[in-house]
Amino acid sequence: MLSRNPAGRLARALSVLALTAATLVPAAVAQAAASASGPASTSTPASAPSSSTGRGWNDFSCKPSAAHPRPVVLVHGTLGNSVDNWLGLAPYLVERGYCVFSLDYGQLPGVPLFHGLGPIDASAGRLSAYVDRVLAATGAVKADLVGHSQGGMMPRHYLRFLGGAAKVNALVALAPDNHGTTLLGLTRLLPYFPGAEDLITAATPGLADQIAGSPFLTRLNEGGDTVPGVRYTVIMTRYDEVVTPYGSGRLSGPDVTNVVIQDRCALDLSEHLAIALTDRIAFHEVANALDPARATPTTCASALD
């Protein structure tokens, strides 16, 4: 559970707002500069940083094995990127015999390294192109997706609206905001600050799209959470200070497994970032979701696996 200490809750909330502000300032400056100098493209080639190849993933010569016939595509979260978000999980999966790939998406002009800030529907289009590239390189018929935060929610747009369900076997989401976030209730204060919501929408639409009740999320969740033919696994933490309430990540529908990581290990204190960056208990649950036929129980001892 989130701390009942008001000072602690306020500190966490302020840290989230500070991070958002640090993003909005350069984004707004970049947007103003782009307006002054003419249109600027936010797209970059659908390629991955070479630095990750040296760590064993984003190797486009990798061919899936009989044991793991589908490549795994990792989808970073808001303010993340294709390398930093996966320094723990990518090697973990490579060591277990998977072909692993990761992409950057949602880049804004003038904002390096911190991605996932562009319109989420456009980011889903980038994911679509990247999955096609991975399938062509590996010769696989389908891929599995593993995403963190926005990266666990955004692929659902790809699956529902961009034909992704025919190319994806499973979506595994770590701390996703499938039904939006209130940021500990702070988003409910936006109407009291004239212009704040407009600034967020204009400068960082990827943030605005994730606010609970946004037009993007309303459309995404109309008619049900899932599409046929895809297995969904949601891995949440009770200590999530970004996706609030943490249960916003839950999905309903057939072929859905919702996991609260503290139900696997009550001692697991991972919050929103740690569950994807360092939590080997969560990593074990990801591995189980990718290969349910070989799944083993996830316990506190999985931290040593």
Side-chain angles (χ1 to χ4, degrees), residues 70-302:
R70 291 177 299 276
V72 177
V73 175
L74 303 177
V75 190
H76 66 74
T78 307
L79 299 174
N81 62 60
S82 61
V83 177
D84 295 347
N85 211 140
W86 305 118
L87 292 173
L89 181 58
Y92 180 95
L93 294 175
V94 169
E95 289 169 3
R96 284 153 180 77
Y98 288 93
C99 291
V100 180
F101 303 87
S102 60
L103 78 156
D104 288 306
Y105 70 87
Q107 298 96 323
L108 292 181
V111 184
L113 300 179
F114 301 104
H115 303 324
L117 297 170
I120 296 181
D121 56 355
S123 295
R126 182 168 175 79
L127 174 62
S128 176
Y130 192 81
V131 170
D132 286 348
R133 182 186 175 199
V134 168
L135 293 179
T138 59
V141 176
K142 289 188 175 184
D144 289 326
L145 306 180
V146 178
H148 174 223
S149 192
Q150 179 189 162
M153 174 270 288
M154 175 268 279
R156 293 179 50 227
H157 184 93
Y158 163 55
L159 298 176
R160 181 178 292 276
F161 300 114
L162 302 180
K167 303 173 184 179
V168 172
N169 169 71
L171 170 60
V172 184
L174 292 154
D177 51 350
N178 283 312
H179 298 278
T181 178
T182 68
L183 281 178
L184 295 173
L186 290 172
T187 59
R188 299 191 185 104
L189 299 178
L190 286 174
Y192 298 97
F193 295 89
E197 189 164 3
D198 290 340
L199 174 61
I200 294 173
T201 301
T204 55
L207 294 180
D209 285 344
Q210 295 177 77
I211 295 174
S214 72
F216 173 84
L217 287 170
T218 298
R219 179 172 183 250
L220 177 65
N221 293 313
E222 281 178 344
D225 291 344
T226 64
V227 295
V230 179
R231 288 191 295 105
Y232 297 81
T233 301
V234 175
I235 304 170
M236 298 164 282
T237 171
R238 291 193 176 99
Y239 301 107
D240 201 320
E241 77 283 28
V242 175
V243 175
T244 59
Y246 74 87
S248 167
R250 291 183 185 276
L251 294 175
S252 299
D255 294 322
V256 170
T257 301
N258 291 300
V259 176
V260 177
I261 201 66
Q262 285 76 27
D263 290 342
R264 300 291 192 257
C265 174
L267 300 177
D268 192 323
L269 302 179
S270 291
E271 39 66 68
H272 185 77
L273 294 179
I275 196 172
L277 296 179
T278 61
D279 186 355
R280 292 178 71 88
I281 297 170
F283 294 177
H284 187 270
E285 195 68 21
V286 170
N288 280 349
L290 293 174
D291 191 359
R294 296 180 177 86
T296 58
T298 299
T299 67
C300 294
S302 301

Side-chain angles (χ1 to χ4, degrees), residues 52-69:
S52 60
T53 304
R55 297 182 177 91
W57 82 95
N58 284 326
D59 176 4
F60 278 84
S61 66
C62 186
K63 300 300 179 184
S65 65
H68 301 302

